[in-house]
Amino acid sequence: MFSITVFSVLLVVLIGLGLYLKSVPIFDQNSFWQLISSSEWRPGSGQFGFLPFIAGTIAITLIAIVLALPIALLSALFLTEFSKSYLKKWVFTALDILAGIPSVVYGVWGTLFIVPWISEKLAPNFVEYSTGYTVLAGGIVLGVMILPLLISLFVEIFSAVPREFRDAALSLGATKWQTSKFVILRKTFPGILAAVILAVSRAFGETIAVLMVCGNLPMVPHSLFDSCYPLPALIANNYGEMLSVPLYESALMLAAFLLFIVVFIFNASSRAVIYRIERKFK
Amino acid sequence: MRLKFIEEKIAKGLMVVASLAVFAFVVNIIYTIFRRGFPALNWEMISQIPAGGYYNGGGGGILNAIIGSLYIVLGSTFLGLLISIPVVFYLNVYLKKDSKLAYVARLAFDVLFGIPSIVYGAFAFTIMIYLGMHTSLGGGILVITLLVIPIFIRSMDEVAQQLPKDLLDSTYALGATKLETIKVVLRQIAPGIATATLLSVGRAIGDAAGVMFTAGFTDSIPTSLGQPAATLPLSVFFQLSSPNADVQDRAYSAALILIFIVLVISILGRLITNHFSKHKI
């Protein structure tokens, strides 16, 4: 039992190491800085610029967080501070379903609903023409996907605040909203931050849904209505041909390694913060 | 004085709107898929494997993907349980509450939980190349097992941490060894195991990025671990990339089937969880 435990812990190290070793060959010809700052992507002639993909990933993640955060904060406060328990049951059921829907289904929903909506209704107000397969579409789909994660984390964190804190505020004449604003939100701020970081790292790695709605053109997006090409989509779209082009495999593994490192750092740090908060209130 | 009550009203209104938005998304997603997927749904789709020229509008169905997904889910759930139950038992019975190893292990599983499935897929793919393996059902099962182990461990561990210390003490007092207490512990964490299984089955059946690298895709039903296997999410994805409108309609029906399976699992899971909770102290 000890060895199974230790081995599964070592899995983290193993994955990181494996991906790193696989991506080393590409550093023989390009410096790290060159790779992440160039936007030339021509695997055939050995040019691997990751900038468009990194920019695409960051752009859709930012949009997703900006859209999901207010909804998640408000509904988590509603669930913990305001709502009756029968209402809670309904919302949690909805969240369970939302969390259980496979990402490919989100992708289908995106192509059926969000993409046409953007290209027919929204985009004509701002730009001349847009296919709908855009940064914005990716951001919206991703935002809905991270909602259940964000809300469940927020609910967990808000419920960790002891009853007495609320009672103290309420007995001083504060309304429930003032209590939420000045006591709950302020007390749990580090936790909220940690939860957001966790959601960001989830959003970074989302593949299929994003691949289906983003358009996948390797360019740095300049507006919400441009196409983009996030890192995971790059890996998923090209793994089939990567063995036939020199250094291609190594470039894709570098993409996977970048994802791994970002997710690792984000996860480890935010989990550590959440542990500390839960311990503090215990 | 009045202002804070007005603010309260506004804030509460916004909260209700936000919570309703969650409902709206669920309803909209299911309705959108149902509206496009239901008309194209027929018995042929779920009872036959793709016939020749299926992806150009030929006859047949997606039985290969349904069976493939089923194999992968069953295999990985079984392996995942086999690995994670001893780990949870070890973390909670053998290690002390303030053990450094337990802390690091929990952190590691949280990190593993957050690692995207495409990274697992890429990692498993490099190992399979190294070992000279081809894309196969076995590879798919392995990568999904890696994916579900952290889910199993985290959700079982959450329940196991609530185990009353007195309960363990009374088993020891009756002369049980640490290993023998597993009978009591298992019964106590049974609801946790049920929820964990439910969560991981949901994730296993819906995962596309991991199996894309490792299980491959095929039109036939695999008969051994060494053959490639089709999966439902990939089947949806590939049919949707077809330019043929009929084939795209089938992708929507396949997505509907996938949603249906996931919903059934989650309802069944709820019933099972309630059933298993009866031994809980």
Side-chain angles (χ1 to χ4, degrees), chain A residues 128-166:
Chain A
E128 273 180 23
Y129 175 73
S130 169
T131 54
Y133 293 91
T134 51
V135 182
L136 185 62
I140 293 176
V141 170
L142 209 51
V144 178
M145 291 183 76
I146 59 174
L147 261 184
L149 176 72
L150 270 179
I151 297 179
S152 60
L153 283 171
F154 285 157
V155 167
E156 214 170 285
I157 296 165
F158 293 158
S159 332
V161 177
R163 179 85 244 159
E164 297 89 65
F165 284 42
R166 297 184 178 86

Side-chain angles (χ1 to χ4, degrees), chain B residues 9-280:
Chain B
K9 280 259 166 3
I10 295 173
K12 198 163 175 188
L14 284 176
M15 284 179 195
V16 173
V17 169
S19 306
L20 282 178
V22 174
F23 271 109
F25 283 128
V26 175
V27 172
N28 187 288
I29 291 172
I30 295 180
Y31 173 72
T32 308
I33 311 266
F34 187 83
R35 200 177 50 123
R36 291 298 299 268
F38 193 68
L41 196 63
N42 54 45
W43 185 243
E44 195 186 348
M45 266 204 71
I46 47 178
S47 64
Q48 287 181 23
I49 61 170
Y54 178 76
Y55 298 96
N56 295 314
I62 53 162
L63 184 66
N64 59 329
I66 297 176
I67 300 283
S69 276
L70 211 65
Y71 281 163
I72 289 185
V73 168
L74 286 178
S76 59
T77 306
F78 177 70
L79 282 179
L81 276 173
L82 214 61
I83 295 171
S84 48
I85 288 182
V87 173
V88 172
F89 187 62
Y90 186 77
L91 284 179
N92 287 289
V93 176
Y94 280 79
L95 292 179
K96 295 212 174 62
K97 274 253 142 64
D98 53 349
S99 145
K100 268 264 165 357
L101 176 63
Y103 178 78
V104 172
R106 290 197 171 106
L107 193 64
F109 290 122
D110 278 338
V111 171
L112 282 174
F113 177 68
I115 291 178
S117 67
I118 188 122
V119 172
Y120 279 114
F123 172 69
F125 188 60
T126 62
I127 288 187
M128 285 168 67
I129 291 177
Y130 181 74
L131 295 175
M133 279 167 72
H134 294 287
T135 54
S136 61
L137 179 60
I141 291 180
L142 278 184
V143 79
I144 299 296
T145 307
L146 289 183
L147 194 71
V148 296
I149 283 177
I151 306 177
F152 269 126
I153 293 182
R154 286 186 66 227
S155 36
M156 287 200 261
D157 187 49
E158 227 159 78
V159 182
Q161 279 182 331
Q162 312 293 329
L163 266 184
K165 199 166 174 307
D166 306 348
L167 185 71
L168 293 184
D169 286 341
S170 33
T171 62
Y172 299 148
L174 288 171
T177 61
K178 282 196 168 172
L179 197 60
E180 280 169 336
T181 56
I182 198 168
K183 291 178 194 162
V184 181
V185 173
L186 270 188
R187 187 162 287 194
Q188 284 300 309
I189 64 171
I193 297 178
T195 342
T197 311
L198 159 75
L199 278 175
S200 67
V201 166
R203 182 130 184 229
I205 202 164
D207 183 70
V211 289
M212 197 177 220
F213 283 95
T214 50
F217 199 80
T218 170
D219 279 352
S220 53
I221 297 170
T223 50
S224 78
L225 286 177
Q227 290 178 353
T231 44
L232 258 180
L234 282 186
S235 162
V236 174
F237 181 64
F238 287 141
Q239 292 180 73
L240 201 62
S241 4
S242 157
N244 187 322
D246 286 345
V247 181
Q248 286 187 5
D249 281 344
R250 285 188 202 151
Y252 304 136
S253 329
L256 188 61
I257 295 172
L258 189 55
I259 288 194
F260 180 73
I261 294 176
V262 170
L263 286 183
V264 167
I265 291 171
S266 98
I267 292 167
L268 273 184
R270 229 162 256 279
L271 297 177
I272 293 172
T273 314
N274 291 340
H275 176 75
F276 275 119
S277 303
K278 67 182 179 193
H279 291 298
K280 186 124 177 69

Side-chain angles (χ1 to χ4, degrees), chain A residues 2 8 74-75 78 96 100 109 112-113 173 175-178 181 205 208 211-212 235 239 242 263 271 275, chain B residues 4 7-8 11 15 19 28 36 90 109-111 114-116 125-126 154 206 208 212-213 237 240 262 270:
Chain A
F2 173 74
S8 39
L74 285 171
S75 42
F78 181 69
D96 275 353
W109 174 65
L112 279 179
F113 186 75
T175 61
K176 270 190 171 180
W177 167 245
Q178 283 176 322
K181 194 167 59 168
I208 287 286
L211 169 89
M212 289 164 83
I235 307 173
Y239 78 101
M242 73 183 186
V263 169
R271 285 291 176 188
Y275 285 159
Chain B
K4 76 175 187 184
E7 199 185 324
E8 168 100 3
M15 284 179 195
S19 306
N28 187 288
R36 291 298 299 268
Y90 186 77
F109 290 122
D110 278 338
V111 171
I115 291 178
F125 188 60
T126 62
R154 286 186 66 227
M212 197 177 220
F213 283 95
F237 181 64
L240 201 62
V262 170
R270 229 162 256 279

Side-chain angles (χ1 to χ4, degrees), chain A residues 176-187:
Chain A
K176 270 190 171 180
W177 167 245
Q178 283 176 322
T179 313
S180 310
K181 194 167 59 168
F182 294 121
V183 179
I184 311 284
L185 288 184
R186 196 164 290 180
K187 266 284 165 207

Side-chain angles (χ1 to χ4, degrees), chain A residues 236-252:
Chain A
N237 262 344
N238 296 298
Y239 78 101
E241 59 214 55
M242 73 183 186
L243 293 174
S244 50
V245 183
L247 284 185
Y248 206 176
E249 185 192 2
S250 159
L252 292 186

